[in-house]
Amino acid sequence: MIYMDNAATSWPKPNTVYTRVLQSMEKYGANPGRSSHTMAVEAANLLLYGREMLCQLFNVSDPFRMIFTYNTTDSLNLAIKGTLKEGDHVITTSMEHNSVIRPLMHLANLGIETTIVPADSQGLVDPKDIEKSIKPNTRLIVTTHASNVTGTLMPIEEIGTIARNHGIYYLLDAAQTAGSLPMDLSKLPVDLVAMPGHKGLLGPQGTGVLYIREGVDLNQIKEGGTGSLSESIYQPDFLPDRYEAGTLNTPGIAGLGAGVEYILNYGQEKIMNHITNLEKLFLNAFSQIEGVKIYGPTNIKMRCGIISINIWDRDSREIVNILSQRYNIATRGSLHCSPLAHDTIGTKEQGTVRFSPGVFTTLDEVKACIMAVGEISRKIKIRSI
Ligand SMILES: Cc1ncc(COP(=O)(O)O)c(C=O)c1O
């Protein structure tokens, strides 16, 4: 099987991820931070190791500013609901995933107003439009780093600078970039970054991270046991315990630590270049196939390694099924949980067929996808599919 669905979750993982998950359960299966016996301490060390690996990758000095969650959605909910209160205003874009839009629509019921800044048909947002939307009560700007539909990269430095100049928090949804695109969080003007552990960071599903910059005031959205301050009936106010109530996904985080370790050893630039080269191959070939429409920016520098297409006027789900059943190629079709992004690029009915290569994707696999798309397109033209 040719796996081209890394934007949904990366697969396969480095071998060390599998062994570390197993090892964490077999050898260090105690509850971290809940006791002082040796195995509990070893389990706690796995968590700390994961935080330290993340700090190295993102150039963050305090490991406790890396909060473990269960996925990007969980991180976004904590960041959004922990920041906003009744009467606040928040700015976002029309390229967001439902993991941003749905929490914001829910908060509308609680008196929190949202402005959705429209992107153009390539998914590009003009930072000036974001600045024009700022009101005296704007507390948060939240944007994706890269669209999961078109792969469009957002001008995050400009948006972050605007947010800083107006004293507004900037929350970045790095679901499609964390791990695959180098990010120096000591320099970027971002306050909160939501990341999946299970995509570009190469960890298991059920892992996510929220980075909280020093000085950011964020309420917790759940309370419970932390293994610390057990004499108190109140949630601890120190990090990471304030935001990590309940037993964590220790095996998943052990795997995540191994995933990030792999990226550090292999080299993030190398990963990025590999994916960009594959993306170029896809784009060059697809642009020459009659009947194929490519979405997103034409400039490769404004893309993150996601290639969304349609073939003639066929429903994207039909193409995904053909690719899977006849060619054994795994892609994703339909609306990718981002209905507003599909409105923006005009694919609300058709959806798009999304190819998302990863660190382990080979050149031959990309060539096989190109051959398959060419053949499908020709067959549709002569009506033999
Ligand atoms: C841009 C974006 N944001 C958020 C999410 C949600 O991620 P998760 O499944 O880790 O919650 C995704 C998932 O594909 C995404 O692409």
Side-chain angles (χ1 to χ4, degrees):
M1 191 258 285
I2 296 179
Y3 187 76
M4 282 290 167
D5 200 13
N6 288 277
T9 200
S10 57
W11 187 87
K13 311 290 180 186
N15 282 333
T16 45
V17 172
Y18 305 128
T19 49
R20 213 67 70 76
V21 171
L22 193 64
Q23 205 181 43
S24 78
M25 298 185 77
E26 279 182 341
K27 284 182 148 178
Y28 313 116
N31 200 326
R34 301 298 192 270
S35 185
S36 58
H37 62 78
T38 311
M39 195 155 75
V41 172
E42 282 165 342
N45 284 341
L46 288 176
L47 302 183
L48 185 59
Y49 185 72
R51 289 187 221 277
E52 284 171 350
M53 288 292 97
L54 288 161
C55 283
Q56 263 193 53
L57 189 67
F58 293 104
N59 199 15
V60 169
S61 54
D62 181 355
F64 296 143
R65 301 221 145 257
M66 293 292 185
I67 306 301
F68 287 127
T69 63
Y70 298 98
N71 43 50
T72 327
T73 306
D74 200 27
S75 302
L76 288 166
N77 269 269
L78 168 56
I80 290 170
K81 293 173 183 166
T83 310
L84 297 169
K85 57 180 188 331
E86 192 181 347
D88 283 343
H89 171 242
V90 48
I91 300 170
T92 190
T93 83
S94 71
M95 293 309 287
E96 304 308 312
H97 192 273
N98 269 343
S99 297
V100 168
I101 297 296
R102 286 182 177 171
L104 294 179
M105 293 305 102
H106 170 72
L107 290 179
N109 303 323
L110 309 176
I112 291 159
E113 187 201 354
T114 298
T115 298
I116 299 175
V117 172
D120 69 13
S121 60
Q122 296 190 344
L124 290 162
V125 171
D126 186 342
K128 286 193 214 88
D129 292 338
I130 293 195
E131 188 156 31
K132 277 189 232 147
S133 307
I134 293 174
K135 300 181 181 191
N137 60 338
T138 306
R139 180 148 171 84
L140 181 70
I141 297 173
V142 45
T143 78
T144 191
H145 191 179
S147 161
N148 62 315
V149 176
T150 56
T152 313
L153 283 167
M154 293 285 158
I156 63 165
E157 300 211 15
E158 288 94 322
I159 298 172
T161 306
I162 291 168
R164 284 260 156 105
N165 290 343
H166 289 81
I168 297 166
Y169 286 156
Y170 183 29
L171 162 62
L172 190 65
D173 172 359
Q176 294 302 337
T177 52
S180 53
L181 209 69
M183 240 187 283
D184 182 342
L185 294 182
S186 73
K187 295 211 177 87
L188 275 179
V190 294
D191 300 297
L192 297 148
V193 184
M195 321 177 195
H198 63 102
K199 300 188 200 245
L201 293 173
L202 307 178
Q205 293 176 25
T207 59
V209 181
L210 179 66
Y211 163 72
I212 306 177
R213 190 179 58 76
E214 201 177 339
V216 171
D217 180 25
L218 187 72
N219 285 321
Q220 73 274 9
I221 56 169
K222 64 184 178 198
E223 291 82 22
T226 53
S228 55
L229 294 187
S230 287
E231 69 284 5
S232 170
I233 57 170
Y234 298 104
Q235 190 69 12
D237 62 0
F238 50 84
L239 272 56
D241 296 27
R242 181 171 181 190
Y243 307 108
E244 290 182 353
T247 301
L248 287 169
N249 175 9
T250 312
I253 294 165
L256 173 58
V260 180
E261 183 189 278
Y262 178 89
I263 296 169
L264 288 165
N265 290 337
Y266 188 80
Q268 209 178 14
E269 294 278 338
K270 251 164 85 182
I271 293 177
M272 188 183 70
N273 292 339
H274 174 65
I275 294 176
T276 305
N277 287 338
L278 299 181
E279 183 177 22
K280 274 187 200 154
L281 198 65
F282 265 123
L283 294 174
N284 285 340
F286 283 165
S287 64
Q288 287 164 42
I289 300 176
E290 193 192 5
V292 171
K293 179 169 171 50
I294 306 170
Y295 298 91
T298 41
N299 180 352
I300 190 96
K301 291 203 177 113
M302 302 174 86
R303 308 180 59 109
C304 78
I306 284 174
I307 306 100
S308 252
I309 62 164
N310 271 315
I311 306 184
W312 300 105
D313 58 356
R314 292 297 175 95
D315 191 298
S316 59
R317 280 166 296 198
E318 186 192 344
I319 304 292
V320 166
N321 286 341
I322 296 171
L323 283 168
S324 173
Q325 284 157 21
R326 299 197 190 174
Y327 300 91
N328 214 5
I329 295 172
T331 57
R332 177 159 177 202
S334 196
L335 298 189
H336 313 289
C337 302
S338 306
L340 301 185
H342 287 279
D343 276 336
T344 306
I345 65 167
T347 54
K348 192 71 176 282
E349 295 302 319
Q350 202 176 5
T352 64
V353 183
R354 184 179 71 183
F355 292 80
S356 48
V359 58
F360 297 116
T361 304
T362 66
L363 208 62
D364 283 347
E365 289 179 320
V366 174
K367 286 182 185 162
C369 293
I370 293 165
M371 287 264 296
V373 167
E375 198 168 275
I376 294 169
S377 188
R378 279 192 298 280
K379 284 190 174 164
I380 293 175
K381 192 179 176 194
I382 59 167
R383 303 198 181 282
S384 77
I385 294 188

